[in-house]
Amino acid sequence: MLTPRFGITQTDEVVTIIIHAPYANIKDAEMYADGIDFLFYSTPYFLKLQLPGKIKDNDSFSGTYDCDKGDFTLSFSKVNKGEHFENLEMITSLLAPKKKSTVIPNIEVIGNPSVALADMSENNTNNSGNNCFPSQDNFVGSATNLINSPKYGFANKISGALAAFEDIWIKEIIDLPTPDVTPEVERKSLREQRELNDFSEEHYMADLMESDVMKPCLIYQAEWDTLQKDQIAFSKAEIDLLKELPNKEYLLNVEDVEKLCFNLVDILYANCYNHRTTFGENSSESGWTINKLSSTLCWFQNFASLDEVITACIRRALCYPLHRNWELSIKLLEDVKKVLSLGRKYVVKRFCEIHSLFNNSFEPRYILNQLYIKDFLIWLQTLPDSVIESVYSALSNVHPNKENMGLELVELEMAAYSVQEDFVIENAIHKMTNNIEALSMNGDKQKM
């Protein structure tokens, strides 16, 4: 059975469900609505939803089918007139029935994840459906969870998932050596050592001096610079992706939620770098860029603070991509803030883009979708807006500086400017010498 593309709108009294089913057999179309449950069936389509409020199928029900568009438009009265149904645009969270989480809780279920972020700013500164219908959730998890083995993936709950892949494939997308063996506590030190080895002083100083090359990236007006919240809408491709994801409940403790928010910022930073440096036009290297710049995706890194997240983001932005510039790195931090300020829906859109890039990558980056991106897409749709707002607020307390990057950036810049100054002086002396020689020759000619 196919899950049709759908959308839901509402007024104070009516909920309208629009179902795109161009190949439906209209004669056998069936519909059921009662309370929060809605079912639609018409070969080859099946849709089962759980709404955030109650509707009723009564005399006021209306339904039409547009043959040209292939759309069913079904309108139902709200049981409680004037009630506002939340999150009607979060496609995955409406799919039913809800399944138990594949992520096992350590301590407790967080009913309001915003609790986990309540003190983030301060801490960072201080360092029932009808069973006759088939299930819509067809997700099959292939990862295992091995006791005492290193963990990675969404919420750091997966282990042993990469054992089936050859090392040569894994190395294309993951820098962490032997991820199923290397202890988690060693990931940060190994990453930082690799970055020190890979950092190119010549590349950094060249980008520092060639300001004309960096200027287009810095002045580029990104999508989020002008976008307003009420203009944000999912594209057809994004809806098609979200409707195919399973609706899962994640049982997470406070620490899990906080770490996921740190991972979220890390991945968004990499996505913002790609968008700004390609001027909004993704390239064949876009998947590599996001993958490589994110410590979460490339090293399975978990962070202890937002300061640690941003330091890792900037270090990698100065080590690996084409443009390695401090001013650009700080600009990207402002980009992440703007993305977060646009709210959860826009963050979901950014992750939809990442999912598409990884799925269409020549290298096997679909593995990263399975380990991280899909679950982020599901989780984000159920996350309270207050959590995103808390992360945005906490980022305002992060003030990265060159001294803390561990790459001797200040010394390199002093050396670069010193060489430039010497070059300017040398050119001035050379020009002055030429002028004196020219004047001397002119004087000799006049005497003759």
Side-chain angles (χ1 to χ4, degrees):
M1 304 297 287
L2 302 177
T3 302
R5 185 189 308 146
F6 69 94
I8 306 177
T9 60
Q10 66 177 320
T11 64
D12 287 342
E13 299 183 356
V14 176
V15 172
T16 301
I17 303 175
I18 302 173
I19 301 172
H20 182 66
Y23 308 112
N25 186 341
I26 303 176
K27 292 182 179 180
D28 70 2
E30 298 180 21
M31 180 276 302
Y32 167 81
D34 182 31
I36 64 172
D37 296 318
F38 171 80
L39 303 174
F40 171 84
Y41 172 80
S42 181
T43 307
Y45 300 102
F46 167 72
L47 181 66
K48 183 178 182 181
L49 305 177
Q50 282 190 345
L51 303 174
K54 294 182 178 181
I55 59 175
K56 53 185 177 181
D57 182 7
N58 55 18
D59 294 339
S60 64
F61 162 78
S62 65
T64 61
Y65 180 74
D66 188 322
C67 296
D68 295 329
K69 296 181 178 180
D71 290 348
F72 288 88
T73 302
L74 310 171
S75 297
F76 304 90
S77 296
K78 292 181 177 179
V79 171
N80 302 313
K81 294 183 178 180
E83 179 184 4
H84 180 73
F85 288 12
E86 299 288 345
N87 298 326
L88 289 182
E89 293 178 318
M90 298 299 143
I91 303 298
T92 309
S93 64
L94 297 175
L95 299 175
K98 294 182 179 179
K99 296 294 182 180
K100 292 183 178 180
S101 172
T102 57
V103 179
I104 301 173
N106 288 334
I107 300 176
E108 58 186 325
V109 178
I110 302 301
N112 181 6
S114 61
V115 173
L117 276 295
D119 299 322
M120 181 180 284
S121 296
E122 180 180 349
N123 292 339
N124 192 64
T125 303
N126 299 326
N127 295 315
S128 88
N130 190 332
N131 291 331
C132 68
F133 286 88
S135 170
Q136 191 163 332
D137 188 349
N138 59 357
F139 176 80
V140 178
S142 58
T144 59
N145 195 332
L146 304 177
I147 298 175
N148 298 326
S149 295
K151 306 294 191 299
Y152 45 81
F154 182 83
N156 208 39
K157 304 295 183 181
I158 300 172
S159 61
L162 301 176
F165 295 92
E166 295 184 12
D167 289 343
I168 192 171
W169 276 54
I170 298 301
K171 289 178 180 178
E172 291 287 334
I173 61 173
I174 300 169
D175 285 348
L176 175 65
T178 56
D180 286 316
V181 177
T182 305
E184 182 182 351
V185 294
E186 296 181 10
R187 293 174 190 172
K188 180 181 177 181
S189 59
L190 288 172
R191 172 181 62 80
E192 291 179 339
Q193 185 58 52
R194 175 75 70 83
E195 290 164 359
L196 282 175
N197 295 337
D198 293 343
F199 178 68
S200 170
E201 297 178 353
E202 293 80 7
H203 195 141
Y204 178 77
M205 289 191 289
D207 282 359
L208 175 66
M209 294 294 101
E210 297 176 358
S211 56
D212 291 343
V213 176
M214 300 306 306
K215 187 176 180 180
C217 294
L218 294 170
I219 66 174
Y220 169 68
Q221 192 171 59
E223 179 182 73
W224 46 77
D225 288 324
T226 57
L227 191 64
Q228 301 298 318
K229 277 189 176 183
D230 57 4
Q231 297 174 325
I232 300 172
F234 290 127
S235 67
K236 292 180 179 179
E238 289 165 347
I239 293 174
D240 284 341
L241 167 60
L242 296 176
K243 72 181 179 64
E244 296 300 331
L245 297 176
N247 185 6
K248 298 189 289 184
E249 178 185 4
Y250 294 95
L251 306 179
L252 306 168
N253 61 39
V254 173
E255 184 181 0
D256 290 333
V257 175
E258 187 174 56
K259 286 184 177 180
L260 284 173
C261 289
F262 294 154
N263 295 141
L264 172 68
V265 171
D266 174 64
I267 296 171
L268 282 179
Y269 187 97
N271 178 253
C272 289
Y273 181 100
N274 171 67
H275 185 87
R276 179 165 290 281
T277 57
T278 61
F279 309 108
E281 298 290 337
N282 290 319
S283 70
S284 59
E285 297 299 316
S286 291
W288 177 91
T289 300
I290 297 170
N291 181 180
K292 193 72 172 180
L293 264 61
S294 169
S295 300
T296 300
L297 302 176
C298 201
W299 279 90
F300 298 161
Q301 176 83 50
N302 289 304
F303 302 96
S305 70
L306 274 178
D307 277 317
E308 187 180 43
V309 175
I310 299 306
T311 297
C313 290
I314 294 177
R315 280 173 60 97
R316 298 191 71 76
L318 297 178
C319 287
Y320 297 108
L322 177 62
H323 301 298
R324 307 177 189 179
N325 179 270
W326 177 262
E327 190 176 353
L328 174 61
S329 299
I330 299 303
K331 182 70 174 177
L332 293 169
L333 177 56
E334 296 304 313
D335 287 338
V336 174
K337 293 178 184 178
K338 289 180 180 179
V339 169
L340 292 170
S341 71
L342 289 171
R344 174 176 43 138
K345 186 176 180 181
Y346 190 64
V347 174
V348 172
K349 285 178 67 68
R350 302 313 309 171
F351 271 75
C352 284
E353 178 183 73
I354 296 171
H355 184 279
S356 176
L357 289 171
F358 285 179
N359 255 14
N360 293 297
S361 173
F362 177 76
E363 294 80 11
R365 294 195 173 87
Y366 67 88
I367 296 172
L368 299 175
N369 282 340
Q370 299 290 343
L371 293 176
Y372 288 98
I373 305 304
K374 280 188 175 182
D375 286 298
F376 263 107
L377 282 169
I378 298 167
W379 178 68
L380 283 167
Q381 292 179 75
T382 63
L383 196 65
D385 290 322
S386 58
V387 176
I388 301 296
E389 293 167 1
S390 296
V391 177
Y392 168 77
S393 177
L395 276 176
S396 300
N397 295 321
V398 177
H399 305 288
N401 59 71
K402 298 173 184 177
E403 291 82 357
N404 291 339
M405 293 299 116
L407 299 173
E408 299 183 345
L409 301 181
V410 175
E411 291 80 1
L412 287 175
E413 291 185 10
M414 290 177 61
Y417 287 128
S418 177
V419 170
Q420 183 185 46
E421 184 178 352
D422 291 344
F423 182 73
V424 171
I425 293 173
E426 183 179 344
N427 280 349
I429 294 173
H430 183 68
K431 184 177 181 181
M432 188 181 299
T433 302
N434 288 341
N435 289 339
I436 293 172
E437 290 179 353
L439 289 172
S440 178
M441 291 177 64
N442 288 336
D444 292 342
K445 288 180 180 180
Q446 289 178 359
K447 290 179 180 180
M448 293 175 63

